[in-house]
Amino acid sequence: MFTRREALIGAVVAAAAAAAIPAFAAQAQTADIAALPRQKVSLVAPPFVHEHDQVANGGPKVVEFTMKIEEKPIVIDDEGTTLRGMTFNGSIPGPMMVVHEGDYLELTLVNPETNEMPHNIDFHAATGALGGGALTHVNPGEQVTLRFKATRTGTFVYHCAPEGMIPWHVVSGMSGTVMVLPREGLKNEKGEPVRYDKIFYVGENEFYIPRDENGKYKKYESLGESYDDTLKVMRGLIPTHVVFNGKVGSLTGKNAMTAKVGETVMIVHSQANRDTRPHLIGGHGDYVWEEGKFANPPAKDLETWFIRGGSAGAALYTFLQPGVYAYVNHNLIEAVELGATAHFTVEGEWNDDLMKQVDAPRPIPMN
Amino acid sequence: MPVNTLTLIGSAAAIMTAGAVALLNWTDGPKHSQARTPAAITVAAAPGLFSHAEPGEFLMNERPVPAPRKRVAISQPLEIMKYQVSLDEYERCVSLGACEAADAEGSGDVPVTGVSYLDAEAYARWYSEATGETWRLPTDEEWAHAASERFRSDIEPLEQDAQNPARAWLSSYQREVDLERKADPVPRSRGSFGVNSKGVADIAGNVWEWTSTCYARVTMAADGKAAETSIENCGVHVVEGFHRTYMSNFIRDGKSGGCAVGLPPDNLGFRLVRERPAAMTIADFQAQIRRLRREMFGA
């Protein structure tokens, strides 16, 4: 008769010999996980990203995060239009979680009893159980902890996915991004290492705010009251707002993103529901992982990149000229009229070789 | 001095118009007043001399320079509406088919908003006809005179660097950020922003005002004083308020009429000035008397 220990050892031997028997292998790995180092990470609100190593330092570990779900009214434009918002950790989008390939991401999801709705989380980076959605349902007053192994590198959306109400939760703000970096860091198409000096995380959301009979945006006392009207607008598929980081103008003015000439900036752009096409006016994407998955070589020198609804992409750019840059969804109606515009202010020396105004505007010569 | 006498009589007649309407309102009650166009309350800004940053864009030696300042003399009292034209006043013009309905916000005694330069011009035409007087948009200089201590010209960059045009872009962006002006989109009742030293109300509140001054791009001569060339674009007019800016004539919402970078006006509205009656001809005078008679005693 085998002891449990002998069975495990036997399984390990068998796995080593035949590289098979996944059930036993999984058991062995579970035992290993308990021995892994654990790291607790405090999340920061977008467009910033918590501190992280670009090249993994040491072996795999378990990285612990906690997010509290906050349902709250959120003003989404300068007119005071109010969304009955649902958020991961209070921000739209939810904060970015960064781990390395082979790490375990362990999330504790808290649904305070002050909330109205049950929630859960579907990680596009995770495998099985509807991305974890089936194992993370929490009612107001409950919390749950889920662990998944980061087996694929890239930027991945996460979002709330409660049965019957998935799109409503997503377009009310409940989406965010996980970034799984290769252990050895990012590589260009030749396999050479590339690094970023700064990272910004832009989450794009579209909102569907109901209007009253006079065309004014309606305000609601609760999520429940807003549901029917909101669903009707959603079914028309025409958003009333398309914004970065939860609000028109959230990344402009004193909240504009900053960089210096010569700095390499990584911009992660996520959209959990609808296609978009980021463009940096006056700049480019030096290396762009349009689909966001780092196992694929990056595209080079892009003018505009395509982010499929339900995915996150990453673009790397080294600023070459100083100035004020607009970073937009290049459906310019959505950028200018509906809100999807951010700014970068970039300090540094001007390069006349790259651009010069040879003749200032003047009257057209008459001869 | 027959001409001067007639001028005086003309002014008196204008004042009588307002008085007569007020009297009729009082005796006939509100029903009758609906049909009449009451004269707007105006302020007479005393003549004055002031230093003024000119509107437009200025270039010297192939690069942008700050707007040159000039001495402006307003030699006659400037009679300007104390308040911006109200939504009710504007709607009277709409109801008579002389103005297009505004994309107005708010209700009650609020200034009309959501109006373009073309709408403001249409209103001035109608209002002049309705009152038998000459009403028009103020020029940039007149508006600055009336705005007095509340006048702010363009938000110009603090830095100019011939080698680095980005210094200007970044420093004007920073200036706008430092002003910390929050969007304030809902029009308030007239008078909410108080009066300035000249008694003009609501200057630099949350409704920017159209003027009759065209946008111009000016190349300055090497001495920095005179214009070498100037190209006017009258498809774009000067708009005044918390800051001075420029808008295409057909724009009603300054937020979507602007570009990606820059401080947009919360709302677009206007007020008018009354042209000081010039020396009247006898025919004009007789016409005015006839009109007065009609107003007071019916046709």
Side-chain angles (χ1 to χ4, degrees), chain B residues 90 93 98-100 117-128:
Chain B
Y90 186 84
C93 176
C99 291
E100 300 268 348
Y117 169 81
L118 302 171
D119 296 325
E121 282 284 284
Y123 182 86
R125 269 196 305 277
W126 168 77
Y127 193 65
S128 296

Side-chain angles (χ1 to χ4, degrees), chain A residues 93-314:
Chain A
M96 185 189 287
M97 294 177 256
V98 184
V99 298
H100 283 92
E101 182 182 10
D103 286 348
Y104 294 83
L105 190 158
E106 190 172 293
L107 173 74
T108 299
L109 187 64
V110 182
N111 189 1
E113 63 181 358
T114 45
N115 284 345
E116 283 180 63
M117 295 287 153
H119 299 283
N120 68 349
I121 190 163
D122 166 358
F123 284 105
H124 288 190
T127 306
L130 307 173
L135 301 176
T136 51
H137 272 286
V138 274
N139 291 299
E142 295 179 328
Q143 69 172 53
V144 65
T145 301
L146 177 80
R147 183 189 70 221
F148 73 88
K149 187 173 189 177
T151 54
R152 296 157 206 271
T153 62
T155 49
F156 295 87
V157 157
Y158 66 78
H159 62 89
C160 192
E163 280 101 14
M165 296 190 289
I166 302 174
W168 181 47
H169 281 242
V170 171
V171 302
S172 299
M174 292 193 89
S175 65
T177 304
V178 166
M179 181 162 75
V180 181
L181 287 166
R183 297 206 76 79
E184 62 282 10
L186 297 174
K187 300 256 170 71
N188 68 12
E189 82 290 355
K190 292 181 199 140
E192 300 158 346
V194 290
R195 291 184 57 84
Y196 44 87
D197 300 311
K198 271 188 161 178
I199 179 168
F200 288 107
Y201 162 36
V202 178
E204 181 174 328
N205 289 70
E206 88 280 17
F207 298 130
Y208 302 84
I209 311 294
R211 298 173 197 261
D212 65 17
E213 57 281 2
N214 300 317
K216 304 281 179 213
Y217 289 120
K218 286 171 85 165
K219 281 195 175 136
Y220 296 92
E221 289 306 309
S222 69
L223 275 166
E225 284 169 62
S226 74
Y227 179 68
D228 274 346
D229 288 355
T230 305
L231 202 64
K232 287 193 186 80
V233 185
M234 285 161 56
R235 282 183 175 159
L237 297 175
I238 300 174
T240 55
H241 298 72
V242 179
V243 304
F244 294 155
N245 289 18
K247 181 184 188 300
V248 177
S250 65
L251 298 175
T252 62
K254 72 176 189 321
N255 299 317
M257 297 177 281
T258 59
K260 294 189 181 75
V261 169
E263 266 184 343
T264 299
V265 175
M266 166 89 125
I267 309 167
V268 175
H269 195 112
S270 73
Q271 224 299 9
N273 197 59
R274 191 167 172 271
D275 300 343
T276 183
R277 52 208 69 70
H279 173 92
L280 178 65
I281 301 180
H284 297 95
D286 291 338
Y287 295 108
V288 183
W289 292 269
E290 263 199 332
E291 310 95 331
K293 307 306 169 276
F294 300 132
N296 305 306
K300 288 173 69 182
D301 300 333
L302 296 196
E303 57 181 316
T304 299
W305 38 105
F306 184 65
I307 306 295
R308 296 142 183 79
S311 77

Side-chain angles (χ1 to χ4, degrees), chain A residues 5-6 21 30 42 69 152 158 197 219 224 236 249 298-299 353:
Chain A
R5 182 178 155 76
E6 282 166 335
I21 322 181
T30 304
S42 296
I69 294 159
R152 296 157 206 271
Y158 66 78
D197 300 311
K219 281 195 175 136
D353 184 46

Side-chain angles (χ1 to χ4, degrees), chain B residues 78-250:
Chain B
L78 175 71
E79 200 178 347
I80 187 163
M81 289 180 175
K82 177 171 180 177
Y83 301 99
Q84 292 158 336
V85 170
S86 76
L87 182 54
D88 285 349
E89 287 166 342
Y90 186 84
E91 277 180 351
R92 196 186 296 258
C93 176
V94 175
S95 69
L96 293 170
C99 291
E100 300 268 348
D103 297 334
E105 294 283 333
S107 58
D109 184 33
V110 293
V112 63
T113 54
V115 282
S116 66
Y117 169 81
L118 302 171
D119 296 325
E121 282 284 284
Y123 182 86
R125 269 196 305 277
W126 168 77
Y127 193 65
S128 296
E129 233 163 76
T131 57
E133 298 159 351
T134 305
W135 293 85
R136 57 169 177 78
L137 287 173
T139 65
D140 160 68
E141 290 175 359
E142 288 170 338
W143 196 93
H145 179 59
S148 196
E149 78 281 2
R150 290 203 193 180
F151 178 74
R152 192 203 302 270
S153 57
D154 304 29
I155 297 173
E156 291 187 303
L158 292 173
E159 297 173 43
Q160 291 286 2
D161 181 342
Q163 265 63 59
N164 188 350
R167 292 306 326 146
W169 304 328
L170 287 163
S171 66
S172 59
Y173 191 83
Q174 189 56 46
R175 255 193 94 179
E176 290 185 3
V177 170
D178 291 344
L179 286 169
E180 288 190 345
R181 191 174 192 287
K182 293 238 186 313
D184 181 12
V186 182
R188 302 185 206 172
S189 359
R190 297 196 297 169
S192 293
F193 292 95
V195 295
N196 68 0
S197 61
K198 289 195 159 68
V200 185
D202 301 334
I203 294 281
N206 66 353
V207 179
W208 274 244
E209 300 176 26
W210 289 102
T211 72
S212 62
T213 300
C214 298
Y215 163 88
R217 171 136 49 203
V218 181
T219 303
M220 305 298 292
D223 67 359
K225 286 182 182 131
E228 197 170 80
T229 60
S230 175
I231 298 280
E232 269 198 349
N233 176 1
C234 287
V236 174
H237 276 83
V238 175
V239 168
E240 316 265 11
F242 174 79
H243 71 323
R244 184 169 64 191
T245 185
Y246 309 88
M247 290 274 153
S248 290
N249 294 356
F250 53 85

